Amino acid sequence: MAISKDRVHQIKLLQENLQTIRKLIGWTIDDLGEKIGVSKQTISNLENANTKMSLTQYIAIRAVLDYEVQEHPENDVLPKAIHLLLDEENNLSQEEYMQVKEAIATVAAAASGGADKSMVSKLFTGMIGPVAVGAGIGLFTPLGIVGGIASTGWLKSMLDNGKDT
């Protein structure tokens, strides 16, 4: 079965943002590899684009990200960052999306550097807020990516056998 253009694009977005998301959570390469059952070398190769992410790897990573969001609701930055990096790209101009990526990478660096959750949340709001407002994104309302059926929306779109749009 061929992978549609939309699926390929979604996989590419996750691969491009994997390191940032991993650091935002506070996971090492080993941690993520362990969670999805692959070696740290596999994760490193994915993050450095030495190998292409497969559909199976995409699904495994998104599943552990969903689990992390559900298990740690106090981490309000993670679901917003995932949503902006992986699900809002089509609703942003290229310039806005690059600003979002850069801002979230800065926040992830602070998180992986040991900043407390409160500081990370304030940094995220301060850096992303102006971009979100300018782009008309409802950043401070529930993003609909956790809990119930909404959390599997990405999975349905990846497994949908519909035609490319």
Side-chain angles (χ1 to χ4, degrees), residues 12-140:
K12 181 179 175 224
L13 283 177
L14 178 56
Q15 185 162 5
E16 288 175 359
N17 293 292
L18 184 59
Q19 184 176 42
T20 297
I21 293 169
R22 177 181 58 76
K23 286 182 176 182
L24 192 59
I25 298 170
W27 291 343
T28 65
I29 290 174
D30 282 327
D31 293 337
L32 179 55
E34 202 171 288
K35 288 180 185 304
I36 67 166
V38 299
S39 69
K40 73 178 188 177
Q41 188 61 49
T42 298
I43 299 300
S44 178
N45 284 337
L46 289 172
E47 288 184 356
N48 294 313
N50 293 331
T51 58
K52 281 187 171 184
M53 183 180 287
S54 70
L55 177 60
T56 302
Q57 290 166 330
Y58 175 91
I59 291 170
I61 293 167
R62 285 295 301 250
V64 298
L65 293 176
D66 274 1
Y67 180 79
E68 181 70 14
V69 166
Q70 290 174 359
E71 289 300 304
H72 298 281
E74 73 280 0
N75 185 350
D76 62 335
V77 171
L78 181 60
K80 293 173 186 175
I82 291 170
H83 181 70
L84 288 169
L85 291 171
L86 304 181
D87 303 324
E88 278 292 329
E89 184 252 357
N90 288 334
N91 297 323
L92 300 170
S93 70
Q94 182 67 21
E95 181 182 340
E96 289 166 337
Y97 185 71
M98 294 311 291
Q99 289 174 340
V100 164
K101 281 183 70 155
E102 190 175 306
I104 293 174
T106 299
V107 173
S112 69
D116 66 37
K117 290 186 191 316
S118 173
M119 177 59 91
V120 169
S121 183
K122 288 176 184 173
L123 182 61
F124 180 86
T125 301
M127 294 188 78
I128 298 295
V131 177
V133 169
I137 298 170
L139 180 63
F140 304 106

